[in-house]
Amino acid sequence: MQTILSNFQERTIDKDKFVIKKGQIVTSYYFIKSGGLRIYFDKDDRQITGWLAFQNDFFTELNSLKSGQPTQFNIHAIESSTLLTIDKSQMELLYRQFPLWQQFGRQIWENAFLKVINGILSYQTMTAEERYLGMMKQSDLLQKVPLKQLASYLGITQTSLSRIRKNIK
C-alpha cells in the first residue's frame, strides 16, 4: 500500500477554482481527500451540473482520459478541497504490478457505473422531491452546494427546489 500511495501527489484546490477546464485533455485520476467538487457543462448560456463528488470519492473525466480528446466538462471546487492525483500511465503500471489494486480499481468504477444507472432510473421513476430526499440521505455535504447548482443537478428550477425544501421543513 505504501508503494501505491507514494505514486499519488497531493493537490489543494481553493474554493471556486478549477481542477479541469473544458477543452483540456485529462491525464489523471483523482481521489478527494477532503472537500467537494462539481462537474458541469455549458449549454445555451446555462451551466448543467452532471455530477457532485465529495470526500472519499474517486473521479476523473473518463471520456477524455480514455480517448485523449479534450473534455466537454468543467470540474471546479465548491469548497476548498484536497485531492490525491495519479497519472493514468502510473495507475496502469500499478494495476499490472499489484493485482489487488487492479481489483480495487475495478470495484471503484463498477460502483461509479451503478451510481450513473441509479441516477438515470431516479430521473425516470421518481419525482424531484423524491430525488432530493434520496440525495439528502446520501450526504449532508449537499448542504454546501449552492441552490442553483443543486437545482441543476436535480434537473429542476431553483424555484421548484425552494418549494420542495419549504414543504419538507
Side-chain angles (χ1 to χ4, degrees):
M1 185 57 101
Q2 191 58 36
T3 301
I4 291 168
L5 291 176
S6 70
N7 285 278
F8 283 81
Q9 304 298 314
E10 191 168 298
R11 178 176 170 197
T12 301
I13 305 294
D14 293 330
K15 181 180 179 176
D16 293 326
K17 298 294 181 187
F18 288 90
V19 177
I20 296 167
K21 287 186 180 181
K22 178 182 176 181
Q24 288 182 301
I25 295 174
V26 177
T27 59
S28 298
Y29 293 94
Y30 302 85
F31 175 79
I32 304 173
K33 188 173 175 182
S34 65
L37 305 171
R38 179 173 75 112
I39 296 88
Y40 70 93
F41 62 95
D42 298 311
K43 181 175 169 78
D44 302 328
D45 296 330
R46 293 182 306 138
Q47 293 181 350
I48 309 292
T49 301
W51 189 17
L52 299 167
F54 296 102
Q55 184 173 357
N56 296 325
D57 280 341
F58 272 96
F59 76 96
T60 191
E61 202 286 89
L62 200 53
N63 188 50
S64 178
L65 183 80
K66 295 301 266 180
S67 71
Q69 298 298 311
T71 181
Q72 298 300 306
F73 294 91
N74 292 294
I75 301 176
H76 96 283
I78 55 177
E79 64 181 351
S80 211
S81 302
T82 302
L83 309 177
L84 299 178
T85 68
I86 186 168
D87 186 74
K88 176 186 174 185
S89 61
Q90 195 60 37
M91 182 70 98
E92 294 293 332
L93 181 66
L94 291 173
Y95 281 156
R96 288 190 300 275
Q97 191 174 359
F98 301 103
L100 283 176
W101 182 247
Q102 183 179 43
Q103 181 180 354
F104 174 76
R106 187 191 80 237
Q107 290 172 347
I108 291 293
W109 295 110
E110 285 173 355
N111 288 335
F113 184 70
L114 288 174
K115 283 182 184 179
V116 169
I117 288 179
N118 289 333
I120 292 168
L121 288 175
S122 75
Y123 274 98
Q124 294 174 336
T125 62
M126 299 169 81
T127 66
E129 184 172 328
E130 290 169 332
R131 288 194 310 270
Y132 175 75
L133 289 171
M135 286 176 53
M136 296 314 288
K137 287 179 187 174
Q138 291 175 14
S139 176
D140 59 347
L141 297 172
L142 290 172
Q143 299 296 335
K144 298 178 181 182
V145 179
L147 186 69
K148 181 178 181 178
Q149 296 171 6
L150 188 56
S152 170
Y153 183 66
L154 290 166
I156 59 177
T157 65
Q158 290 181 65
T159 305
S160 295
L161 181 54
S162 293
R163 191 176 317 114
I164 289 169
R165 285 179 158 180
K166 182 179 176 185
N167 290 339
I168 291 172
K169 292 181 181 182

